[in-house]
Amino acid sequence: MSTCTQLTSPSAAGLFAKAIVQSGACTVGFGKNAVYPGVGDFSPWTSLPAVQSAGRQAAGTLGCAQASRALSCLRAKPAAELLRANQDFQQVSYGTPLVPRRPATALRDGRFHRVPVLQGDNRDEMRAYVAALQQNQPITAESYRALLQDTFGDRAGRFAAVYSPTAYGTPALAWAALNTDRVFACPTLAADRLLARHTTAYAYEFADRDAPGVGYPRSPELPLGAAHATELPYLFDLGGRHASFTRAQDALATDMLDSWTAFARNGAPAGRRLAPWPQVTAGAAAPYAQQLDTGAAGIHRVDLAAEHHCRLWPQG
């Protein structure tokens, strides 16, 4: 999401030659109940007036309501006290000289830097979020039906039929799949097509469902699979987690490193064992992205729209 914001920030012009967006396209947004049951729509980006309003409210909560001295008052607070209000300030604000437009709007309007982009998600992104939910409020068949009803109202039956616990194994896995599709996979697919109207774009999906964990809680009802951030040990040395790789995972990591490096160097992902990836085209028919996996198929093209039921979710 930080990289997406840089793509749409006028002051970043000329400061980078390519961009890699991992699990955070400009179009990503968390719909009702996606972050956690009871949490409404949430966007990684928010307007400057909304941030200013949150700041005034936080200042009042922390005893710094007097406008003339609010900044000096807040600066004098211990870090631990300020962190109580941190949740209100995790979003990037737009409507400023640095980020004039909401990044999704800028992307749709073609107002972004014309550099090659490599962009993708993980196959089971939202299992990471549901894993945390399982620790406190496990999803049962009954609560899953209630979540669908609360989230989608009279359309709940339509989503229940596609994302059924029978098809996915458990209610928790079904809820994770539904939110992976609506929050990440399908919005990213839309962003791929928007990028391809104006620049060179490549798409990937990380899909190793046996990837080493990155610290998420685990439960028998919810294998993490290729959850959010599980691709990172394949690209970076994160506390030696790559040491637990199988031979197939080590080979996948090599292919990914080769591809990322080739993209950074030449603007086209490729590897010692891989041909250059096919580009995204704005009106392309699927199969659409390179799927990065350790199975028999290895790295291969995948129809993201079909795999993630994107006919159900708004595009572009």
Side-chain angles (χ1 to χ4, degrees), residues 1 4-6 8 25-27 45-46 92 94 99 101-109 111-112:
M1 294 165 187
C4 157
T5 304
Q6 294 284 2
T8 65
C26 288
T27 46
W45 300 274
T46 191
V92 175
Y94 59 87
V99 187
R101 299 169 185 80
R102 185 185 182 95
T105 302
L107 192 68
R108 292 184 181 105
D109 292 344
R111 302 179 73 97
F112 62 89

Side-chain angles (χ1 to χ4, degrees), residues 7-18:
L7 274 172
T8 65
S9 174
S11 61
L15 299 182
F16 55 90
K18 292 100 179 172

Side-chain angles (χ1 to χ4, degrees), residues 1 7 62 74 97 101 106-107 111 115 146 176 192 201 266 303 315:
M1 294 165 187
L7 274 172
L62 295 170
L74 289 167
R101 299 169 185 80
L107 192 68
R111 302 179 73 97
V115 299
D192 292 337
N266 305 316
D303 181 346
Q315 296 291 293

Side-chain angles (χ1 to χ4, degrees), residues 14 42 50 67 74 88-89 102 104 106 112 130 183 191 202 281 298:
F42 174 82
L74 289 167
D88 295 327
F89 300 99
R102 185 185 182 95
F112 62 89
V130 178
V183 172
Y202 297 90
T281 54

